[in-house]
Amino acid sequence: MVASTHWLASATGMSVLEGGGNAFDAAVAAGFVLQVAEPHLNGPAGEVPILLWDESTQKASVVCGQGVAPGSATIDHVTGLGVEIMPGTGLLAATVPGAFGGWMLMLERWGTWSLAQVLEPAIHYAEYGVPVLDRISATIETVEQLFTDDWPTSAATWLPGGNAPAPGSRLTNPVLAATYRRIVAEAAGGTREAQIAAARDAWYQGFVAEAIAEFSTTTAWRDSSGEVRGGLLTGDDLASWSATVEEPLTFDYHGHTVCKTGPWGQGPVFLQQLALLSGYDLTAMGHLSADYVHTVIECAKLAFADREAWYGDAADVPMRDLLDDAYNAERRGLVGMEASFDLRPGAPGGRKPRLPDYPDAGLPGARGVGEPTVGSDGRVRGDTCHVDVVDRHGNMVSATPSGGWLQSSPAIPSLGFCLGTRAQMFWLQEGLPNSLRPGIRPRTTLSPSFALRDGRPWLAFGTPGGDQQDQWSVNFFLALVHGGGLNLQEAIDAPMFHSEHVPSSFYPRASRPGVLQIEDRVDPGVVAELRRRGHEVEPQDSWSLGRLSAVSRDAAFLRAAANPRGAQGYAAGR
């Protein structure tokens, strides 16, 4: 089974499985196709966190394909450039591109296919083209003037004939195809593992690294602050980084063990929500009742407030205390019958929380900022990509590739892609877990999910959506557990909701205290009751929130489901 946010990626993954590859081969091939099929949502110089289950070792693992801040990226250095908040676009916010290393590590350690085999579909689609989604066309149209006026290398890449491509037209990227074809050629010969190692060297020490470093350090471009700046990323930064394998963080909830990344991502906030919700009888409340939605939202506010105060790529993040029963029982006492408008981090283990100094509203909001798509009105819309796979052996993968969006920074003309801007998530304030420091990972929103049921691998799932990822994913998971027997597709199709209470992880860090967005398919009486409790409810169009996909396995069947919203997600299997 394969489920993803784009039908071409799902079809690619299925072709790998039908050709004898395993789940890890299929996920890698699908991941590279997503770079071509959804270039406004992810790119070659982005990042990818991966959760996987290896049936042969009966073990869940995290592959961290998240790059780090450059060696010269100190707060003093950046603020000395006149920067108060890291820009959302341009070269200054680039981190080491981690996606390539993450995919290669999984392929090398768990896969069976060769480098050439997994890259062939992406090379084909980059060379011959993919159909332009409405959202690709709208995104490029929104940043068309920026490309034309300030980023001519991006104009050459993404404005065929000088204009944004029309929906339904064919979009090619022959330069990217040539880049991947050269990597395959330079890595040819030797064992499968030797080829993968050679490809990694070509990316992080060879011609790709050289082009990235030269572009970053010798050119300057206008960013979202309106200033013209160069970047900090060097060849040494790329050469000294490698993807890693880590143990997942877990939490047990109603017979299920949920696995997430460490607090260098926002994944543990999913676990914190479960820890809080474990003290309520959501089944008795009724799925999507006013009590249910109110309780889930208020617990999300508390968990995300802890994310703001405690998460980052730091050794002293108090995760054990944040998931402690006594801590969550105390936090649960803050959930009342009325909506909270306060940001209330806790004091795990008696530690005193410290929140960042959030910027004032009204910072420059130039075209193309943030995470990562742009609406027709110029506002940012949170989105990313996702792919889930389960194979005939029982191996499972959940991966959320993102970053390096076509609107992130100017395209590198010799490579056919641009650098990412994930460093926008760092704080330029000393002493915070997510303060900018050389060589550390930004605390991202990327959050693949994995769950065991009664100790056996059961579910791989996830969604795009920036800060909403660990709200929409929680909604889906709770629907399966408390929704009265909903299947995967029904749980994805169920009306979605989320809070916009907590400050955004993306430039310019806006927040909307008390705002609750919910699809208008819910009972109007539920909306009225939520408003009576003080929530600033904003009903959204039907089928507009959430981008989930999922695969599952049990003793009898493999299953898959994908999001119908936007008419591009797809699930397939046999």
Side-chain angles (χ1 to χ4, degrees):
M1 295 284 176
V2 183
S4 82
T5 50
H6 197 286
W7 70 89
L8 289 178
S10 297
T12 296
M14 273 310 300
S15 73
V16 173
L17 296 178
E18 292 181 333
N22 65 19
F24 313 112
D25 303 317
V28 173
F32 280 104
V33 167
L34 283 171
Q35 296 174 3
V36 181
E38 296 188 288
H40 59 315
L41 306 181
N42 80 139
E47 46 275 325
V48 61
I50 305 168
L51 276 159
L52 62 86
W53 174 266
D54 178 9
E55 183 68 10
S56 66
T57 61
Q58 295 288 292
K59 181 176 174 59
S61 298
V62 173
V63 174
C64 177
Q66 171 60 59
V68 299
S72 61
T74 65
I75 291 177
D76 285 346
H77 186 136
V78 174
T79 56
L81 300 174
V83 177
E84 295 182 1
I85 181 171
M86 192 69 83
T89 65
L91 299 181
L92 186 62
T95 55
V96 173
F100 190 86
W103 291 126
M104 289 299 103
L105 178 56
M106 184 168 71
L107 180 67
E108 178 182 52
R109 187 169 299 188
W110 288 280
T112 63
W113 273 30
S114 71
L115 174 76
Q117 285 176 302
V118 297
L119 281 178
E120 188 280 330
I123 292 172
H124 171 88
Y125 285 122
E127 184 73 37
Y128 294 100
V130 295
V132 175
L133 301 169
D134 290 351
R135 292 177 180 176
I136 294 178
S137 178
T139 299
I140 297 177
E141 184 177 359
T142 302
V143 294
E144 182 175 351
Q145 188 175 348
L146 170 69
F147 286 2
T148 301
D149 294 348
D150 297 309
W151 295 2
T153 59
S154 294
T157 305
W158 302 112
L159 299 178
N163 299 297
S169 64
R170 186 187 297 261
L171 183 64
T172 64
N173 190 340
V175 178
L176 176 60
T179 295
Y180 280 140
R181 196 175 287 115
R182 181 176 171 182
I183 289 174
V184 171
E186 290 194 4
T191 65
R192 188 185 75 92
E193 290 75 15
Q195 292 174 21
I196 294 169
R200 196 160 41 223
D201 287 346
W203 188 277
Y204 292 102
Q205 301 180 51
F207 80 95
V208 175
E210 291 169 359
I212 289 174
E214 180 180 10
F215 193 80
S216 174
T217 58
T218 66
T219 69
W221 307 84
R222 193 173 309 281
D223 62 33
S224 53
S225 72
E227 299 297 324
V228 175
R229 297 189 180 93
L232 304 177
L233 202 58
T234 69
D236 288 342
D237 293 320
L238 277 82
S240 61
W241 180 86
S242 59
T244 55
V245 177
E246 303 176 3
E247 296 290 325
L249 287 177
T250 64
F251 186 81
D252 294 336
Y253 182 84
H254 288 259
H256 305 82
T257 300
V258 178
C259 305
K260 300 294 286 187
T261 71
W264 49 266
Q266 78 170 9
V269 80
F270 188 119
L271 309 182
Q272 284 197 250
Q273 289 173 87
L274 295 185
L276 289 162
L277 292 167
S278 63
Y280 299 93
D281 190 344
L282 294 182
T283 300
M285 291 179 187
H287 183 234
L288 295 179
S289 68
D291 281 344
Y292 181 102
V293 174
H294 172 81
T295 302
V296 171
I297 284 292
E298 292 304 299
C299 287
K301 292 175 184 177
L302 293 175
F304 275 83
D306 276 346
R307 182 199 73 173
E308 291 294 283
W310 298 111
Y311 288 18
D313 189 8
D316 57 350
V317 177
M319 283 311 313
R320 182 184 298 273
D321 290 327
L322 288 168
L323 295 174
D324 179 73
D325 287 344
Y327 174 77
N328 283 283
E330 180 182 356
R331 296 281 282 163
R332 216 172 286 130
L334 297 175
V335 177
M337 293 302 295
E338 300 293 323
S340 171
F341 280 66
D342 298 322
L343 190 60
R344 299 178 291 179
R351 301 168 182 85
K352 183 178 180 179
R354 180 189 166 198
L355 290 170
D357 297 325
Y358 295 104
D360 294 332
L363 278 170
R367 297 157 295 173
V369 305
E371 151 79 25
T373 56
V374 184
S376 59
D377 58 358
R379 291 185 60 197
V380 173
R381 300 290 190 268
D383 229 331
T384 287
C385 300
H386 189 77
V387 59
D388 302 296
V389 186
V390 57
D391 65 22
R392 64 191 183 279
H393 309 294
N395 301 307
M396 300 180 77
V397 177
S398 174
T400 309
S402 186
W405 316 298
L406 65 84
Q407 66 274 21
S408 293
S409 62
I412 302 172
S414 64
L415 299 178
F417 61 80
C418 63
L419 293 173
T421 56
R422 196 59 69 174
Q424 69 179 283
M425 311 188 85
F426 285 118
W427 288 104
L428 300 182
Q429 301 164 27
E430 298 285 359
L432 299 168
N434 194 34
S435 296
L436 176 65
R437 302 187 300 281
I440 71 161
R441 297 167 287 191
R443 196 278 299 150
T444 75
T445 57
L446 305 179
S447 195
S449 303
F450 191 86
L452 292 76
R453 185 163 60 187
D454 299 321
R456 295 292 302 154
W458 168 52
L459 183 68
F461 61 107
T463 179
D467 294 283
Q468 280 74 52
Q469 286 182 34
D470 282 300
Q471 297 191 65
W472 294 340
S473 289
V474 166
N475 291 347
F476 165 73
F477 178 78
L478 294 176
L480 292 174
V481 176
H482 300 290
L486 298 181
N487 64 34
L488 294 187
Q489 193 63 55
E490 290 168 333
I492 288 175
D493 292 353
M496 277 285 164
F497 60 91
H498 68 264
S499 171
E500 299 205 334
H501 180 85
V502 177
S504 170
S505 297
F506 299 89
Y507 180 98
R509 308 278 191 166
S511 65
R512 306 179 69 208
V515 171
L516 190 168
Q517 294 195 342
I518 190 166
E519 289 184 337
D520 62 12
R521 293 181 288 135
V522 298
D523 184 341
V526 169
V527 172
E529 173 60 18
L530 291 169
R531 284 178 171 150
R532 190 191 68 79
R533 297 188 187 194
H535 295 279
E536 298 283 348
V537 182
E538 294 182 350
Q540 302 296 299
D541 291 342
S542 298
W543 307 100
S544 63
L545 301 180
R547 303 287 184 272
L548 280 141
S549 64
V551 299
S552 71
R553 54 171 284 200
D554 56 33
F557 292 103
L558 304 179
R559 296 179 172 86
N563 173 56
R565 302 161 177 88
Q568 66 186 66
Y570 209 82
R574 61 173 297 211

PDB file of all heavy atoms in Angstrom, residues 493-511:
ATOM      1  N   ASP A 493     -11.773  11.699   6.151  1.00  0.00           N
ATOM      2  CA  ASP A 493     -12.861  12.499   5.587  1.00  0.00           C
ATOM      3  C   ASP A 493     -13.627  13.297   6.634  1.00  0.00           C
ATOM      4  O   ASP A 493     -14.303  14.274   6.295  1.00  0.00           O
ATOM      5  CB  ASP A 493     -13.854  11.595   4.858  1.00  0.00           C
ATOM      6  CG  ASP A 493     -13.283  10.975   3.594  1.00  0.00           C
ATOM      7  OD1 ASP A 493     -12.162  11.350   3.207  1.00  0.00           O
ATOM      8  OD2 ASP A 493     -13.958  10.106   3.007  1.00  0.00           O
ATOM      9  N   ALA A 494     -13.558  12.898   7.887  1.00  0.00           N
ATOM     10  CA  ALA A 494     -14.323  13.575   8.932  1.00  0.00           C
ATOM     11  C   ALA A 494     -13.962  15.055   9.002  1.00  0.00           C
ATOM     12  O   ALA A 494     -12.816  15.434   8.731  1.00  0.00           O
ATOM     13  CB  ALA A 494     -14.060  12.913  10.285  1.00  0.00           C
ATOM     14  N   PRO A 495     -14.915  15.938   9.335  1.00  0.00           N
ATOM     15  CA  PRO A 495     -14.611  17.367   9.412  1.00  0.00           C
ATOM     16  C   PRO A 495     -13.419  17.647  10.325  1.00  0.00           C
ATOM     17  O   PRO A 495     -13.323  17.120  11.432  1.00  0.00           O
ATOM     18  CB  PRO A 495     -15.902  17.960   9.996  1.00  0.00           C
ATOM     19  CG  PRO A 495     -16.967  17.003   9.587  1.00  0.00           C
ATOM     20  CD  PRO A 495     -16.335  15.653   9.626  1.00  0.00           C
ATOM     21  N   MET A 496     -12.505  18.480   9.842  1.00  0.00           N
ATOM     22  CA  MET A 496     -11.282  18.805  10.566  1.00  0.00           C
ATOM     23  C   MET A 496     -11.430  20.145  11.275  1.00  0.00           C
ATOM     24  O   MET A 496     -12.222  21.004  10.872  1.00  0.00           O
ATOM     25  CB  MET A 496     -10.104  18.873   9.604  1.00  0.00           C
ATOM     26  CG  MET A 496      -9.496  17.518   9.286  1.00  0.00           C
ATOM     27  SD  MET A 496      -8.508  16.918  10.652  1.00  0.00           S
ATOM     28  CE  MET A 496      -8.361  15.189  10.185  1.00  0.00           C
ATOM     29  N   PHE A 497     -10.610  20.322  12.310  1.00  0.00           N
ATOM     30  CA  PHE A 497     -10.585  21.592  13.031  1.00  0.00           C
ATOM     31  C   PHE A 497      -9.194  21.793  13.611  1.00  0.00           C
ATOM     32  O   PHE A 497      -8.422  20.850  13.770  1.00  0.00           O
ATOM     33  CB  PHE A 497     -11.643  21.608  14.144  1.00  0.00           C
ATOM     34  CG  PHE A 497     -11.469  20.544  15.184  1.00  0.00           C
ATOM     35  CD1 PHE A 497     -10.724  20.769  16.347  1.00  0.00           C
ATOM     36  CD2 PHE A 497     -12.069  19.289  15.026  1.00  0.00           C
ATOM     37  CE1 PHE A 497     -10.567  19.778  17.314  1.00  0.00           C
ATOM     38  CE2 PHE A 497     -11.914  18.294  15.992  1.00  0.00           C
ATOM     39  CZ  PHE A 497     -11.166  18.551  17.131  1.00  0.00           C
ATOM     40  N   HIS A 498      -8.860  23.042  13.919  1.00  0.00           N
ATOM     41  CA  HIS A 498      -7.579  23.355  14.570  1.00  0.00           C
ATOM     42  C   HIS A 498      -7.647  24.742  15.211  1.00  0.00           C
ATOM     43  O   HIS A 498      -8.505  25.559  14.881  1.00  0.00           O
ATOM     44  CB  HIS A 498      -6.416  23.283  13.586  1.00  0.00           C
ATOM     45  CG  HIS A 498      -6.419  24.351  12.538  1.00  0.00           C
ATOM     46  ND1 HIS A 498      -6.948  24.172  11.272  1.00  0.00           N
ATOM     47  CD2 HIS A 498      -5.953  25.636  12.551  1.00  0.00           C
ATOM     48  CE1 HIS A 498      -6.823  25.277  10.572  1.00  0.00           C
ATOM     49  NE2 HIS A 498      -6.213  26.184  11.320  1.00  0.00           N
ATOM     50  N   SER A 499      -6.708  24.978  16.108  1.00  0.00           N
ATOM     51  CA  SER A 499      -6.558  26.276  16.767  1.00  0.00           C
ATOM     52  C   SER A 499      -5.448  27.074  16.105  1.00  0.00           C
ATOM     53  O   SER A 499      -4.436  26.513  15.683  1.00  0.00           O
ATOM     54  CB  SER A 499      -6.217  26.066  18.245  1.00  0.00           C
ATOM     55  OG  SER A 499      -5.859  27.293  18.861  1.00  0.00           O
ATOM     56  N   GLU A 500      -5.638  28.375  16.012  1.00  0.00           N
ATOM     57  CA  GLU A 500      -4.577  29.271  15.546  1.00  0.00           C
ATOM     58  C   GLU A 500      -4.068  30.140  16.696  1.00  0.00           C
ATOM     59  O   GLU A 500      -3.501  31.203  16.504  1.00  0.00           O
ATOM     60  CB  GLU A 500      -5.097  30.130  14.395  1.00  0.00           C
ATOM     61  CG  GLU A 500      -5.528  29.292  13.206  1.00  0.00           C
ATOM     62  CD  GLU A 500      -5.477  30.050  11.896  1.00  0.00           C
ATOM     63  OE1 GLU A 500      -5.584  31.293  11.916  1.00  0.00           O
ATOM     64  OE2 GLU A 500      -5.318  29.391  10.850  1.00  0.00           O
ATOM     65  N   HIS A 501      -4.249  29.612  17.903  1.00  0.00           N
ATOM     66  CA  HIS A 501      -3.963  30.330  19.138  1.00  0.00           C
ATOM     67  C   HIS A 501      -2.463  30.575  19.338  1.00  0.00           C
ATOM     68  O   HIS A 501      -2.051  31.652  19.777  1.00  0.00           O
ATOM     69  CB  HIS A 501      -4.520  29.495  20.294  1.00  0.00           C
ATOM     70  CG  HIS A 501      -4.320  30.070  21.654  1.00  0.00           C
ATOM     71  ND1 HIS A 501      -5.172  30.997  22.207  1.00  0.00           N
ATOM     72  CD2 HIS A 501      -3.366  29.843  22.588  1.00  0.00           C
ATOM     73  CE1 HIS A 501      -4.762  31.317  23.416  1.00  0.00           C
ATOM     74  NE2 HIS A 501      -3.670  30.633  23.678  1.00  0.00           N
ATOM     75  N   VAL A 502      -1.641  29.570  19.038  1.00  0.00           N
ATOM     76  CA  VAL A 502      -0.208  29.625  19.340  1.00  0.00           C
ATOM     77  C   VAL A 502       0.521  30.349  18.209  1.00  0.00           C
ATOM     78  O   VAL A 502       0.180  30.196  17.030  1.00  0.00           O
ATOM     79  CB  VAL A 502       0.347  28.204  19.526  1.00  0.00           C
ATOM     80  CG1 VAL A 502       1.851  28.227  19.774  1.00  0.00           C
ATOM     81  CG2 VAL A 502      -0.361  27.529  20.688  1.00  0.00           C
ATOM     82  N   PRO A 503       1.541  31.157  18.527  1.00  0.00           N
ATOM     83  CA  PRO A 503       2.292  31.859  17.481  1.00  0.00           C
ATOM     84  C   PRO A 503       2.825  30.903  16.421  1.00  0.00           C
ATOM     85  O   PRO A 503       3.289  29.804  16.722  1.00  0.00           O
ATOM     86  CB  PRO A 503       3.436  32.520  18.254  1.00  0.00           C
ATOM     87  CG  PRO A 503       2.888  32.726  19.630  1.00  0.00           C
ATOM     88  CD  PRO A 503       2.004  31.544  19.879  1.00  0.00           C
ATOM     89  N   SER A 504       2.758  31.340  15.183  1.00  0.00           N
ATOM     90  CA  SER A 504       3.247  30.541  14.059  1.00  0.00           C
ATOM     91  C   SER A 504       4.742  30.286  14.190  1.00  0.00           C
ATOM     92  O   SER A 504       5.493  31.111  14.714  1.00  0.00           O
ATOM     93  CB  SER A 504       2.965  31.266  12.746  1.00  0.00           C
ATOM     94  OG  SER A 504       3.619  30.635  11.670  1.00  0.00           O
ATOM     95  N   SER A 505       5.166  29.140  13.691  1.00  0.00           N
ATOM     96  CA  SER A 505       6.595  28.827  13.658  1.00  0.00           C
ATOM     97  C   SER A 505       7.310  29.538  12.516  1.00  0.00           C
ATOM     98  O   SER A 505       8.535  29.440  12.413  1.00  0.00           O
ATOM     99  CB  SER A 505       6.778  27.316  13.497  1.00  0.00           C
ATOM    100  OG  SER A 505       6.247  26.618  14.594  1.00  0.00           O
ATOM    101  N   PHE A 506       6.577  30.246  11.667  1.00  0.00           N
ATOM    102  CA  PHE A 506       7.128  30.826  10.457  1.00  0.00           C
ATOM    103  C   PHE A 506       7.039  32.347  10.479  1.00  0.00           C
ATOM    104  O   PHE A 506       6.164  32.930  11.115  1.00  0.00           O
ATOM    105  CB  PHE A 506       6.390  30.277   9.226  1.00  0.00           C
ATOM    106  CG  PHE A 506       6.524  28.789   9.091  1.00  0.00           C
ATOM    107  CD1 PHE A 506       5.619  27.941   9.692  1.00  0.00           C
ATOM    108  CD2 PHE A 506       7.592  28.232   8.411  1.00  0.00           C
ATOM    109  CE1 PHE A 506       5.752  26.577   9.607  1.00  0.00           C
ATOM    110  CE2 PHE A 506       7.747  26.872   8.317  1.00  0.00           C
ATOM    111  CZ  PHE A 506       6.828  26.038   8.912  1.00  0.00           C
ATOM    112  N   TYR A 507       7.983  32.952   9.803  1.00  0.00           N
ATOM    113  CA  TYR A 507       7.990  34.399   9.613  1.00  0.00           C
ATOM    114  C   TYR A 507       6.612  34.835   9.122  1.00  0.00           C
ATOM    115  O   TYR A 507       6.074  34.212   8.218  1.00  0.00           O
ATOM    116  CB  TYR A 507       9.072  34.749   8.594  1.00  0.00           C
ATOM    117  CG  TYR A 507       9.204  36.216   8.285  1.00  0.00           C
ATOM    118  CD1 TYR A 507      10.177  36.982   8.904  1.00  0.00           C
ATOM    119  CD2 TYR A 507       8.369  36.837   7.358  1.00  0.00           C
ATOM    120  CE1 TYR A 507      10.310  38.329   8.612  1.00  0.00           C
ATOM    121  CE2 TYR A 507       8.492  38.181   7.070  1.00  0.00           C
ATOM    122  CZ  TYR A 507       9.465  38.925   7.701  1.00  0.00           C
ATOM    123  OH  TYR A 507       9.587  40.257   7.428  1.00  0.00           O
ATOM    124  N   PRO A 508       6.016  35.889   9.700  1.00  0.00           N
ATOM    125  CA  PRO A 508       6.533  36.737  10.776  1.00  0.00           C
ATOM    126  C   PRO A 508       5.997  36.389  12.166  1.00  0.00           C
ATOM    127  O   PRO A 508       5.830  37.256  12.997  1.00  0.00           O
ATOM    128  CB  PRO A 508       6.062  38.118  10.356  1.00  0.00           C
ATOM    129  CG  PRO A 508       4.727  37.855   9.709  1.00  0.00           C
ATOM    130  CD  PRO A 508       4.846  36.518   9.047  1.00  0.00           C
ATOM    131  N   ARG A 509       5.706  35.103  12.427  1.00  0.00           N
ATOM    132  CA  ARG A 509       5.371  34.592  13.762  1.00  0.00           C
ATOM    133  C   ARG A 509       4.028  35.085  14.291  1.00  0.00           C
ATOM    134  O   ARG A 509       3.856  35.297  15.490  1.00  0.00           O
ATOM    135  CB  ARG A 509       6.464  34.958  14.773  1.00  0.00           C
ATOM    136  CG  ARG A 509       7.863  34.574  14.339  1.00  0.00           C
ATOM    137  CD  ARG A 509       8.142  33.126  14.623  1.00  0.00           C
ATOM    138  NE  ARG A 509       9.561  32.809  14.443  1.00  0.00           N
ATOM    139  CZ  ARG A 509      10.133  31.703  14.868  1.00  0.00           C
ATOM    140  NH1 ARG A 509       9.425  30.806  15.506  1.00  0.00           N
ATOM    141  NH2 ARG A 509      11.412  31.485  14.664  1.00  0.00           N
ATOM    142  N   ALA A 510       3.066  35.250  13.423  1.00  0.00           N
ATOM    143  CA  ALA A 510       1.760  35.771  13.833  1.00  0.00           C
ATOM    144  C   ALA A 510       0.995  34.739  14.664  1.00  0.00           C
ATOM    145  O   ALA A 510       1.190  33.526  14.520  1.00  0.00           O
ATOM    146  CB  ALA A 510       0.950  36.151  12.601  1.00  0.00           C
ATOM    147  N   SER A 511       0.123  35.234  15.546  1.00  0.00           N
ATOM    148  CA  SER A 511      -0.778  34.362  16.300  1.00  0.00           C
ATOM    149  C   SER A 511      -2.168  34.983  16.309  1.00  0.00           C
ATOM    150  O   SER A 511      -2.332  36.190  16.131  1.00  0.00           O
ATOM    151  CB  SER A 511      -0.281  34.157  17.733  1.00  0.00           C
ATOM    152  OG  SER A 511      -0.316  35.377  18.448  1.00  0.00           O
TER     153      SER A 511
END
